[in-house]
Amino acid sequence: MILIKLNDMVREKERTLYWLAQNSGVPYVTLWNLSKKETQRSIDLPVLSRICTALNCKPGDLLQYVADAEDKAILTLVESKEAKRKVSVAEKAEAK
């Protein structure tokens, strides 16, 4: 899961969401929704760009990856498939 750390960055830059809305051209309601973990669904790249420009930061300053249950399940699946592939490649090499 990717979290948007908008509140942290606004606080660090000693600004408010209202200031950011005025200076980025991003509607306040959009910024408010992005600032709440419960309402974070996605962020458009143009919105991310405007926020970063106004706050003079990089996307990596605003985004944080935190593995949730779904991410862990995907990782387990990928690792399982990779292990099976390695075994298959080793068996083919031995057969030659």
Side-chain angles (χ1 to χ4, degrees):
M1 159 182 8
I2 304 291
L3 296 178
I4 304 167
K5 304 183 305 179
L6 184 58
N7 286 335
D8 295 343
M9 185 55 61
V10 167
R11 212 173 299 117
E12 181 180 316
K13 299 290 184 170
E14 299 179 350
R15 300 295 182 185
T16 63
L17 291 180
Y18 181 74
W19 177 91
L20 185 56
Q22 286 184 320
N23 289 280
S24 67
V26 176
Y28 178 83
V29 172
T30 300
L31 295 172
W32 186 83
N33 284 330
L34 291 173
S35 73
K36 306 297 177 200
K37 182 179 177 185
E38 301 80 29
T39 56
Q40 293 178 0
R41 301 273 185 269
S42 65
I43 185 167
D44 291 330
L45 293 180
V47 170
L48 181 59
S49 178
R50 288 177 176 194
I51 292 171
C52 287
T53 300
L55 292 175
N56 192 27
C57 66
K58 296 179 181 176
D61 298 330
L62 287 170
L63 304 175
Q64 177 184 17
Y65 172 75
V66 178
D68 62 4
E70 183 179 1
D71 294 330
K72 290 175 183 175
I74 291 169
L75 181 59
T76 301
L77 180 63
V78 168
E79 289 173 343
S80 173
K81 286 182 177 180
E82 187 63 22
K84 287 179 184 177
R85 187 190 67 77
K86 286 181 181 179
V87 168
S88 176
V89 168
E91 288 173 350
K92 286 180 183 177
E94 287 176 8
K96 288 183 180 182

